[in-house]
Amino acid sequence: EGIATRADDVMSWADTPAQFIDAVAAAAADPEGAEERARRARRHVEAHFSWDAVVKRLEAVYEPPR
């Protein structure tokens, strides 16, 4: 929760244990697809939650208007 992205873009959503099992089984059945999703997920996290990304947002909040 808290990571805004489309489902299946960088992650799978599972609200129930059965849905979780289905998502894991789908990833296991498609290792290349799972690897590509993992790469996209890493890029997403680095772009939105890395120190650089967080500092830029904080600077925008605390920097006086010009």
Side-chain angles (χ1 to χ4, degrees), residues 27 30-38 40:
D30 181 18
E32 292 85 12
E35 188 173 333
E36 176 56 32
R37 183 180 296 160
R40 287 193 312 264

Side-chain angles (χ1 to χ4, degrees), residues 3 5 7 9 16 19 23-26 29 32-33 35 39 43-45 53-55 57 61 64 66:
I3 298 177
T5 185
D9 186 24
T16 67
Q19 289 174 338
V24 172
E32 292 85 12
E35 188 173 333
R39 280 193 292 273
R43 285 192 304 265
H44 178 82
V45 169
V54 171
V55 166
R57 287 196 305 271
V61 170
R66 296 176 186 211

